[in-house]
Amino acid sequence: MLNYSSKELEKQWQLYWAKNRSFEPSEDFTKPKKYILSMFPFPSGRLHMGHVRNYTLSDAFARYYRQQGFNVLHPIGFDSFGMPAENAAIKNGSHPKKWTYDNIDYMKGEFKSLGFSFSKERELATSDELYTKFEQSFIIDMYEKGLLYRKKGFLNWCPSCHTVLANEQVIDGSCWRCDSDVVKKDMNQYYFKITEYGDELLSDLSKLEGGWPKQVLTMQENWIGKSNGLEFKLSFDEKSQERLNNKFDGFSVFTTRPDTIYGVSYAALAPEHEIVSYMIENSLLDKETIEKIKEMKNTSSIDRQKEKSGVALNLHVLHPLTKKSVPIWVANFVLMDYGSGAVMAVPAHDERDFDFAKKYDLPIKGVIKPFGGEFSADKPFTDVGELFDSEMFNTLNSKEAQAKIIEHFEDKKIGKKTTNFKLKDWGVSRQRYWGAPIPFVHCHDCGIVMEKKENLPIALPEDIVITGEGNPLDHHPTWKHCKCPKCGIDAVRETDTMDTFVESSWYFLRFCASPKNWQIEAFSKEQIKYWMHQGVDHYIGGIEHAILHLLYARFFTKVFRDLGYLEFDEPFGRLLTQGMVLKDGAKMSKSKGNTVDPDAIIEKYGADTARLFILFAAPPTQELEWNDNAVDGAYKFIKRFFERSVNVYKTDKIPTLEHSKLNKEEKFARKKVYEALVRAEDVYREKYTFNTMIAGVMEAMNALNLQSNSDVWSEGYWILTSIMEPVIPHTCWEISSQKFSFANLAPQRVVDEVFVENTLILGVSINGKARTEIEVSPDATNDVIIAMAKESASKWLEGKTIIKEIVVPKKLVNLVIKD
RNA sequence: GCCUGCGUGGUGAAAUGGUAGACACGGCGGAUUCAAAAUCCGCUAACGCGAGUUGUGGCGGUUCGAGUCCGCCCGCAGGUACCA
């Protein structure tokens, strides 16, 4: 066994694992469990290095916990619905289903060749009809509970993908997938009422503290965007009401700064506001004004941000407290989909209101001044200060005034305390073929009717033509025609399919179900209770899912809880967000031409090399710079690790050694081995810094190589192959099977005697600066140590006075001196 | 703008407030070889022949002692943005 041949060795163990069902979880729910999950891939065709990093990490956890005796669930699947399958269909004329499942087959082969210890029997693809069946059933439940509804609205529409996008899928005004400019389109679609869970999604973030990266918690918090304030109505004066044919008596506004209420000098409506629309439709505005408003509406959200613009409506409202007349404007910076689409404007204390007031020469009325200072109208004052010109609230601290003014509005019944969220309901309809059909029927008589559960799944037709224009399901000759499930007359199926984020919002629950029950249930309460206790134990994936996927999955968990399917609040106990894989300082991408193909690396070096390099080159949360030379180095280490196992004898028990009889090199080697073990335990528990764990093993190897005691070698390998198995499993199983009958792939005991030293080296520093070293006995008293330190450092002490002596046990001595 | 992170050798990176640079890559030198590859050994923060001096983005502070803690500033990355 001198020659390391990665290819044969890896293939052999992969076969062995498959044959022995080595990675299937047990159904014995009395055992302690670990649920290790990596975010499942979209079957794009081939794995990229980001995937390899992701699954190498989860595999290391899974293998470690198996060694520790846990019942480990480490499943994998494919998030297999989605637009790329259709885009490929348009481009190559392939069928989305064939394209998808061919890719899945190929990628499964890649998983195998990387030695990932996934459960084979729980593999799934979300485009499987069985998966769709249960998903549609959940959708029906959610509709019945009022958590899914249909409404007309202004939607984000990608003209290139010909589909609607959720707010979360619009990045800087562009489509998250194809980067086209997103436009607004008025149409019907289905929404999940995620806003109903806004408060809980926010407050439960505190339950995740410690388990999730702070960064992700902050991102979710900002995305949910809760703000407290005052909502009140601004009422039109009589003249304005008449002008509006008495159709409107006013409009509602929301502010987080009620303390600035006396500084209101105008109010502004969004261009899409209903009052504005009414005026346009009923020709209550002159041509020029209508043109200006239309122009604002047609400007994209990015362009709207460039410069403020607006137009006066010649309407007036009465200030709610002072009853003074306040002019109404239409302003492009007022958003229709936040609050009520209308704002009170206080230019003295708000940047946006200020810019707008400057541009249109509107009055700026200060009501808050800096403590001990004066208000200046040169720029808006937005800090906390003292109220003035605010009637009964004068001299109050502006922070305190907020609550008081809200109270005042509530007492007078002219306004109320309100909370607003940035989070909006999640639009899920997609005008696409390759997705799960929304299981509803449109009946002329009954309206929207849910399909009967026994008819599920409503599967996709396979004989379709995909052109890229419109929705293939809508164009299909027969698919959408059906009978109303309620009254039986001719009806039409909903042709919208669901956003693919719906599938990834519950897949982690599906994995908990025993495959033997897959046909009859989505998952069972009992099994979920076991596997999901404290959530998924380690969830690993890219930071790019910090908002979308993780928020939706949290939402679904809470909904399922309220539907009675499960009994916990949060799906993922611990989250590890891995860094990107870079080459030449940039993210690997086909367009940049800096990709490294995992298959090529496996072919050249083997899977263990790829795995070792990835875990060694950087800690998981950091970016990982690909380095061909260092990959080569990883290969050489494995080869050396394998070949030096000739020094190890065959045994099925860890050798026992009499430490005191060993020579210096032998003792040092043992110490290094056990140091590596201690480090490994820390890594899995909390730090995840596999790089330092591997460095420890390398140090131990270097130390073993300095001695030739075969007991020390054998004990060392017993432990080191156990530590390294999660990282380079093929190599370690080979060594372990040949030398230890696998008995070492089990929890290891730390032997404390190896850390006992008969002399200690202490650093000696003068005024905190390292100068020299002394060698002392471990039980030397401080007096002795200081005396030795002084002698050793005498050169630096000449002519100086020692004013303080500090001994840090086992570390150093610091002498503080002065002239 | 706001919110998170992060700034350490030629490079990837280590370092519970206690001798900065472990481990590895690269580089240099040597052994082996007819030669090369592979392998093995040694050196490798900078400056200096050396004793030594200087060094963790910058400036301060706390401390016997700061890469680490605190304050301000600079730079980079990610997220987010007329959210009233």
Side-chain angles (χ1 to χ4, degrees):
Chain A
M1 64 174 281
L2 264 174
N3 290 316
Y4 175 67
S5 164
S6 63
K7 219 175 277 180
E8 279 167 43
L9 183 155
E10 292 185 353
K11 196 155 274 167
Q12 175 203 322
W13 286 107
Q14 285 157 14
L15 257 155
Y16 175 92
W17 293 328
K19 217 167 69 196
N20 289 279
R21 300 178 65 248
S22 303
F23 310 126
E24 298 308 325
S26 152
E27 303 259 308
D28 176 1
F29 297 158
T30 60
K31 290 170 86 179
K33 68 92 189 182
K34 289 285 175 185
Y35 186 177
I36 310 297
L37 185 65
S38 27
M39 293 181 185
F40 65 165
F42 176 79
S44 55
R46 310 184 73 111
L47 293 182
H48 55 66
M49 278 302 169
H51 291 129
V52 179
R53 189 178 198 191
N54 196 168
Y55 308 131
T56 298
L57 284 164
S58 66
D59 200 48
F61 280 104
R63 287 175 178 274
Y64 173 75
Y65 284 116
R66 266 187 221 108
Q67 271 195 39
Q68 298 295 311
F70 286 88
N71 185 16
V72 172
L73 174 58
H74 183 223
I76 192 70
F78 293 89
D79 191 14
S80 54
F81 273 136
M83 289 185 289
E86 270 179 82
N87 294 340
I90 296 161
K91 209 170 150 193
N92 314 323
S94 59
H95 194 284
K97 187 171 180 178
K98 185 173 176 349
W99 183 87
T100 300
Y101 284 88
D102 284 353
N103 286 348
I104 288 174
D105 280 345
Y106 186 82
M107 289 166 82
K108 279 184 183 174
E110 293 186 299
F111 286 150
K112 194 177 168 190
S113 70
L114 279 155
F116 295 142
S117 64
F118 293 128
S119 159
K120 281 296 294 174
E121 288 161 20
R122 296 185 190 221
E123 275 178 5
L124 59 83
T126 57
S127 53
D128 296 344
E129 285 186 10
L130 196 53
Y131 195 87
T132 300
K133 173 179 160 173
F134 293 116
E135 185 163 297
Q136 287 173 335
S137 154
F138 293 136
I139 293 305
I140 289 170
D141 293 340
M142 288 170 81
Y143 191 80
E144 280 178 336
K145 248 214 143 182
L147 293 171
L148 178 67
Y149 64 95
R150 193 171 192 245
K151 73 162 187 196
K152 200 165 187 159
F154 282 101
L155 298 175
N156 303 305
W157 175 263
C158 173
S160 162
C161 301
H162 297 273
T163 193
V164 156
L165 301 172
N167 289 308
E168 288 82 350
Q169 293 166 333
V170 180
I171 313 292
D172 291 335
S174 305
C175 174
W176 70 304
R177 198 130 221 178
C178 73
D179 226 25
S180 310
D181 276 356
V182 170
V183 298
K184 289 278 177 186
K185 202 169 163 176
D186 192 18
M187 58 192 292
N188 266 313
Q189 89 147 3
Y190 296 89
Y191 291 86
F192 280 125
K193 225 182 219 171
I194 191 171
T195 51
E196 200 166 302
Y197 287 81
D199 256 320
E200 201 194 335
L201 287 166
L202 180 68
S203 62
D204 278 359
L205 289 173
S206 66
K207 294 184 181 166
L208 303 172
E209 273 167 28
W212 282 35
K214 203 177 153 193
Q215 187 192 176
V216 176
L217 295 175
T218 311
M219 281 162 75
Q220 293 225 346
E221 187 183 330
N222 292 341
W223 187 264
I224 295 166
K226 180 177 180 172
S227 47
N228 295 315
L230 169 69
E231 188 185 337
F232 64 95
K233 191 168 182 182
L234 285 170
S235 303
F236 287 120
D237 61 16
E238 263 178 53
K239 223 172 105 191
S240 300
Q241 280 198 44
E242 276 166 31
R243 223 181 126 215
L244 293 166
N245 307 321
N246 293 310
K247 289 274 183 197
F248 301 93
D249 61 353
F251 56 88
S252 157
V253 294
F254 173 73
T255 179
T256 54
R257 294 293 309 273
D259 49 319
T260 64
I261 188 79
Y262 287 94
V264 171
S265 60
Y266 64 98
L269 302 176
E272 296 84 3
H273 197 279
E274 59 170 342
I275 293 174
V276 181
S277 304
Y278 179 83
M279 292 179 85
I280 293 172
E281 281 158 24
N282 293 279
S283 311
L284 300 178
L285 295 168
D286 60 60
K287 230 181 174 165
E288 201 186 334
T289 307
I290 292 177
E291 275 314 305
K292 275 189 189 162
I293 294 171
K294 280 192 173 159
E295 203 186 310
M296 280 186 236
K297 280 169 122 173
N298 289 334
T299 309
S300 75
S301 61
I302 306 170
D303 287 336
R304 267 203 204 183
Q305 284 180 37
K306 283 181 187 151
E307 204 191 339
K308 292 191 173 42
S309 71
V311 57
L313 288 177
N314 196 21
L315 293 174
H316 292 83
V317 290
L318 301 175
H319 188 285
L321 300 180
T322 65
K323 302 297 175 197
K324 282 184 184 151
S325 177
V326 173
I328 306 303
W329 286 65
V330 174
N332 69 344
F333 67 89
V334 182
L335 305 174
M336 192 57 223
D337 52 10
Y338 183 77
S340 58
V343 295
M344 68 176 212
V346 186
H349 304 295
D350 182 281
E351 303 262 0
R352 296 153 302 176
D353 299 347
F354 181 86
D355 293 346
F356 192 81
K358 276 283 176 199
K359 180 162 176 179
Y360 295 106
D361 205 19
L362 293 159
I364 294 167
K365 185 177 178 320
V367 289
I368 297 170
K369 57 188 179 188
F371 296 113
E374 285 309 314
F375 171 76
S376 150
D378 296 342
K379 59 176 199 289
F381 176 70
T382 56
D383 290 343
V384 177
E386 180 188 317
L387 265 65
F388 67 98
D389 278 357
S390 298
E391 300 183 341
M392 59 192 277
F393 302 102
N394 281 343
T395 73
L396 279 179
N397 174 304
S398 60
K399 206 85 211 157
E400 291 159 14
Q402 294 186 355
K404 294 236 160 91
I405 290 174
I406 291 175
E407 216 174 283
H408 183 67
F409 269 80
E410 288 187 330
D411 285 348
K412 292 183 72 179
K413 299 198 187 332
I414 52 173
K416 61 175 195 290
K417 189 173 176 172
T418 312
T419 302
N420 258 307
F421 289 89
K422 285 190 210 174
L423 182 71
K424 298 187 184 73
D425 278 344
W426 169 20
V428 286
S429 310
R430 298 292 180 271
Q431 292 66 45
R432 281 275 161 173
Y433 165 72
W434 193 236
I438 295 173
F440 299 153
V441 169
H442 298 275
C443 170
H444 179 267
D445 293 349
C446 310
I448 295 181
V449 183
M450 285 164 284
E451 186 54 79
K452 289 180 184 153
K453 283 196 179 178
E454 63 259 33
N455 293 338
L456 302 181
I458 303 304
L460 293 167
E462 294 200 16
D463 53 332
I464 37 97
V465 184
I466 295 181
T467 59
E469 292 297 313
N471 182 351
L473 290 179
D474 205 27
H475 299 156
H476 191 276
T478 56
W479 185 82
K480 68 178 173 184
H481 301 293
C482 64
K483 301 289 180 198
C484 170
K486 205 165 168 185
C487 72
I489 66 164
D490 284 350
V492 181
R493 281 198 192 290
E494 176 59 62
T495 58
D496 283 355
T497 51
M498 281 183 266
D499 183 358
T500 58
F501 277 103
V502 178
E503 283 88 62
S504 53
S505 295
W506 67 281
Y507 78 112
F508 49 92
L509 298 173
R510 177 64 169 169
F511 284 138
C512 297
S514 300
K516 62 173 192 278
N517 296 334
W518 270 20
Q519 296 291 331
I520 55 170
E521 62 187 12
F523 45 77
S524 81
K525 214 169 175 173
E526 181 210 8
Q527 288 169 4
I528 292 246
K529 201 169 177 176
Y530 173 73
W531 288 115
M532 291 294 288
H533 176 65
Q534 299 190 323
V536 170
D537 294 279
H538 289 284
Y539 193 34
I540 304 161
I543 184 81
E544 66 272 20
H545 295 108
I547 297 171
L548 300 173
H549 162 60
L550 290 170
L551 190 67
Y552 294 151
R554 294 181 61 222
F555 165 62
F556 259 59
T557 302
K558 291 173 194 303
V559 169
F560 280 14
R561 176 200 60 199
D562 293 345
L563 289 170
Y565 295 143
L566 45 83
E567 288 169 348
F568 47 87
D569 304 318
E570 287 291 336
F572 312 122
R574 285 180 161 267
L575 173 71
L576 173 58
T577 47
Q578 62 181 82
M580 286 190 302
V581 182
L582 310 180
K583 176 97 194 284
D584 310 321
K587 185 180 177 173
M588 281 191 186
S589 75
K590 277 184 196 153
S591 58
K592 289 199 196 84
N594 62 346
T595 56
V596 176
D597 180 20
D599 289 351
I601 296 295
I602 296 165
E603 176 65 24
K604 187 168 175 196
Y605 297 104
D608 281 352
T609 297
R611 298 170 60 122
L612 177 64
F613 167 74
I614 279 177
L615 293 180
F616 182 57
T621 53
Q622 266 178 54
E623 290 176 339
L624 171 79
E625 174 73 29
W626 192 265
N627 179 332
D628 290 327
N629 283 322
V631 174
D632 215 60
Y635 176 77
K636 285 177 188 166
F637 172 77
I638 296 173
K639 193 165 144 66
R640 212 158 46 228
F641 184 71
F642 183 79
E643 287 169 0
R644 285 187 186 160
S645 69
V646 284
N647 298 311
V648 174
Y649 56 71
K650 204 167 154 67
T651 174
D652 56 7
K653 273 210 271 316
I654 188 164
T656 45
L657 286 104
E658 216 170 315
H659 196 64
S660 57
K661 293 203 172 146
L662 301 178
N663 68 29
K664 206 173 136 200
E665 285 75 27
E666 291 161 353
K667 282 180 179 167
F668 180 66
R670 287 194 85 199
K671 184 178 135 203
K672 281 293 180 185
V673 166
Y674 282 99
E675 271 177 8
L677 178 60
V678 170
R679 234 193 252 191
E681 285 172 354
D682 274 1
V683 163
Y684 288 101
R685 242 198 314 272
E686 48 180 339
K687 291 162 73 186
Y688 314 143
T689 46
F690 293 95
N691 53 331
T692 60
M693 176 182 95
I694 294 163
V697 171
M698 289 173 169
E699 284 177 51
M701 274 296 290
N702 293 343
L704 280 172
N705 205 40
L706 297 175
Q707 55 83 52
S708 57
N709 181 329
S710 67
D711 288 332
V712 174
W713 270 103
S714 303
E715 181 202 33
Y717 259 68
W718 181 282
I719 288 172
L720 295 184
T721 44
S722 159
I723 298 173
M724 289 302 280
E725 188 269 342
V727 181
I728 49 169
H730 307 88
T731 309
C732 291
W733 278 63
E734 178 68 22
I735 296 170
S736 179
S737 76
Q738 290 199 27
K739 303 289 186 179
F740 311 126
S741 320
F742 299 127
N744 68 323
L745 300 182
Q748 304 295 330
R749 199 173 60 87
V750 175
V751 177
D752 291 320
E753 62 178 7
V754 304
F755 299 120
V756 178
E757 305 278 0
N758 40 20
T759 59
L760 288 174
I761 310 277
L762 300 186
V764 177
S765 53
I766 311 285
N767 289 350
K769 186 173 185 64
R771 284 300 180 187
T772 170
E773 284 179 349
I774 52 173
E775 195 171 344
V776 300
S777 120
D779 46 9
T781 62
N782 280 3
D783 290 346
V784 171
I785 291 171
I786 288 166
M788 287 178 72
K790 282 179 186 167
E791 195 195 326
S792 167
S794 55
K795 178 174 161 188
W796 291 276
L797 298 174
E798 235 169 276
K800 317 278 182 177
T801 318
I802 299 177
I803 55 174
K804 200 164 185 178
E805 296 153 346
I806 292 142
V807 179
V808 182
K810 293 179 188 165
K811 299 268 185 188
L812 54 71
V813 180
N814 188 25
L815 302 174
V816 185
I817 59 168
K818 65 173 190 184
D819 286 322

